[in-house]
Amino acid sequence: MTTPHPVDTRLPWHRLLAFGIQHVLIMYTGCVTVPLVFGAAAGLDKATVGLLISADLLVAGIITLIQSLGLGRIAGARLPIITGATFVAMSPMILIAKQYGLPAVYGSMLIGGLVGIALAWPFAMVVRFFPPLVSGTVLTVVGVSLIGVAGGLIVGSNPKAPSFGAISNIVLAAVVLLIALIGTVFGRGIWSQLGILIALIVGVLISIPMGLIKLDGVSDAAWLGAPHVFYFGAPQFPIAAVVAMSIVMAVVFAESTASMLAIGEITGKQLERGDVARGLIGDGLSAVLAGVFSSFIDTVFNQNVGAVSATRVYSRYVTAVSGALLIILGLVPRFGAVVAAVPQPVVGGVGLVLFATIAVIGVDTLRRADLSDRVNLSIVAVSIGVGLVPVLTKGMFDKFPTSAQILLNSGISLAAATAFTLNLLLNHTKLGDIARGATEPAPAEPEPQDPIPA
């Protein structure tokens, strides 16, 4: 009898549920942040923002199920993937809302999703040009970039707030980080794999006497929240808005491709072109569903990629359970309000472990590339530098056109595009031969010989 790949292994139901809850707790804050930020920027009232959050969780759950279990041969990478709303589309959505209105936001998103579905298979052709040299570079940038996100959860996002950088929050995050480390390093069996969840639970318990648990919104949240089709009215399709959302889909595809290749590296699952294409179709479907239910475009959540690596639980049925839980949270907003009460410093504490794990995986992947070759070393150095510029230098590209900012403000996409292009030019054309020829030592001059006597 053939032993199934760890990705295709079915675990006992109690382990599926425990690991599935762990994934949801890790990604929840990042997932609901997008509708909160967009709602504030678009001037929406609290009730409408609540509907956006419910729709966001519902679509994220559906796409997570599709990516984990597959939708026939049509969509889904069949990998342990958690999806959620991406920040890539945030700026275009806000600009479109201000210029054309909310119906244009979701109309252009719907068309952008259809464009993405049509381009998924051609886009997947580039997978063979993502060797360890490229994928390792992107993973390193992903991990380093997300460490700042974890830090923001710990200290807060508003420097003017009294609680910003509070010592108690930093100490709480440090305690959670320590518990996660002890659990994953010294735990045995399932306890090692549940180290992250245990750290989250202990962090919540410590937060109670600190007054960080806010349950005010739980009683206000409804028990049932049915999705609304075209909540803001019939969709509209301005050409400029449709073009902007199509560009967003290309950027999302670049990020998702890198993330799926990372999952393949972590789990030891060799990905074919079809696997990547069906995964990208899942991204396109998220945009279509988002356009219909007034939600947001989903992409692979890299914090959960780190969780897969840290816990060494590779079963895609675990993330399928997470998808089902997200659907329940979307349909029962009161449950979602309870999960939202987990303090951000607690999530940030475990986030430091997960995000740094991704960076370490990137470094380990780069070990398989020949970095003794000066050309390869230069490709990695330039790509990491370019990818981290928008992360470490906020507002660097603010004066560029909005269409350009969609790509330039995404460090992950910028790193992927740079590494992919340089690898293509210097390892698949004669430019590489010329560059390497220039680095080879020149042949030694022959020593002068004594004259032969007559």
Side-chain angles (χ1 to χ4, degrees), residues 63 74 105-123 230 235-237 241-250 252-253 277 280-292 297:
I63 300 302
I74 300 172
V105 170
Y106 292 104
S108 60
M109 191 180 295
L110 195 157
I111 299 299
L114 294 175
V115 171
I117 291 173
L119 296 179
W121 278 91
F123 197 94
F230 299 129
Q236 298 176 8
F237 313 101
V242 170
V243 171
M245 280 300 169
S246 298
I247 295 173
V248 166
M249 287 307 306
V252 169
F253 276 10
L280 297 179
I281 289 174
D283 288 346
L285 282 174
S286 77
V288 174
L289 290 177
V292 173
I297 300 173

Side-chain angles (χ1 to χ4, degrees), residues 194-267:
L194 287 174
I196 302 297
L197 179 60
I198 293 171
L200 286 168
I201 293 173
V202 174
V204 169
L205 294 176
I206 296 174
S207 302
I208 295 174
M210 296 176 64
L212 296 178
I213 303 294
K214 306 295 183 183
L215 297 176
D216 302 338
V218 175
S219 59
D220 296 334
W223 278 107
L224 295 177
H228 295 267
V229 176
F230 299 129
Y231 179 79
F232 296 104
Q236 298 176 8
F237 313 101
I239 297 298
V242 170
V243 171
M245 280 300 169
S246 298
I247 295 173
V248 166
M249 287 307 306
V251 176
V252 169
F253 276 10
E255 290 191 3
S256 288
T257 299
S259 299
M260 284 187 280
L261 292 174
I263 289 286
E265 293 277 351
I266 293 167
T267 61

Side-chain angles (χ1 to χ4, degrees), residues 30-251:
C31 188
V32 300
T33 299
V34 174
L36 288 172
V37 173
F38 175 74
L44 303 178
D45 57 67
K46 187 176 180 180
T48 304
V49 172
L51 292 174
L52 293 183
I53 291 175
S54 295
D56 177 37
L57 294 170
L58 177 64
V59 172
I62 293 172
I63 300 302
T64 297
L65 273 174
I66 291 175
Q67 295 285 30
S68 301
L69 302 180
L71 186 62
R73 296 186 177 183
I74 300 172
R78 289 183 172 84
L79 291 171
I81 285 176
I82 301 290
T83 65
T86 175
F87 269 96
V88 171
M90 180 63 64
S91 295
M93 288 179 66
I94 294 172
L95 292 172
I96 293 169
K98 291 180 178 179
Q99 186 167 356
Y100 300 105
L102 290 171
V105 170
Y106 292 104
S108 60
M109 191 180 295
L110 195 157
I111 299 299
L114 294 175
V115 171
I117 291 173
L119 296 179
W121 278 91
F123 197 94
M125 292 177 64
V126 304
V127 172
R128 65 190 183 95
F129 296 113
F130 272 81
L133 181 70
V134 177
S135 59
T137 300
V138 175
L139 282 173
T140 304
V141 172
V142 169
V144 175
S145 301
L146 290 174
I147 289 173
V149 175
L153 291 172
I154 295 170
V155 303
S157 57
N158 183 10
K160 297 181 180 179
S163 60
F164 182 82
I167 296 177
S168 57
N169 289 350
I170 297 175
V171 171
L172 173 61
V175 171
V176 171
L177 173 63
L178 181 61
I179 294 171
L181 177 64
I182 293 173
T184 54
V185 173
F186 295 102
R188 293 292 180 267
I190 189 174
W191 297 110
S192 172
Q193 297 168 330
L194 287 174
I196 302 297
L197 179 60
I198 293 171
L200 286 168
I201 293 173
V202 174
V204 169
L205 294 176
I206 296 174
S207 302
I208 295 174
M210 296 176 64
L212 296 178
I213 303 294
K214 306 295 183 183
L215 297 176
D216 302 338
V218 175
S219 59
D220 296 334
W223 278 107
L224 295 177
H228 295 267
V229 176
F230 299 129
Y231 179 79
F232 296 104
Q236 298 176 8
F237 313 101
I239 297 298
V242 170
V243 171
M245 280 300 169
S246 298
I247 295 173
V248 166
M249 287 307 306
V251 176

